[in-house]
Amino acid sequence: MPQLKFCKTCPICGRKSLIPIHCLGKSMTCGHCHGDFRATDTTGSSNHESELMDRVESLLASSGDQLRLSL
Ligand SMILES: [Zn+2]
């Protein structure tokens, strides 16, 4: 079973770190700057995901139109 990870931007150095999902909400040390921060998912994943899907669907729809025009 693959280990689930989520992406968190370090509040100290601004670089992204992959954090194992079981460390969510725990205190982490950044692998880049060794700063301490809390591993919270601030993006609001469920809302973000449906938003993303809407964007993907509209992108697919518009690229479909372009494809039809170019043919
Ligand atoms: Zn950092």
Side-chain angles (χ1 to χ4, degrees):
M1 183 174 158
Q3 199 177 33
L4 287 172
K5 293 182 180 178
F6 70 99
C7 199
K8 168 75 181 168
T9 304
C10 172
I12 297 145
C13 70
R15 293 209 237 181
K16 286 177 180 173
S17 301
L18 279 177
I19 294 162
I21 209 84
H22 66 262
C23 291
L24 183 66
K26 291 182 182 172
S27 190
M28 297 293 301
T29 302
C30 174
H32 302 291
C33 70
H34 302 285
D36 293 323
F37 62 93
R38 193 165 285 273
T40 49
D41 188 3
T42 50
T43 53
S45 53
S46 59
N47 283 340
H48 186 70
E49 212 167 276
S50 61
E51 233 174 71
L52 196 69
M53 282 314 291
D54 283 349
R55 213 178 306 158
V56 167
E57 271 169 31
S58 63
L59 272 174
L60 283 174
S62 62
S63 67
D65 286 344
Q66 280 170 9
L67 199 67
R68 225 174 297 143
L69 286 170
S70 65
L71 279 170

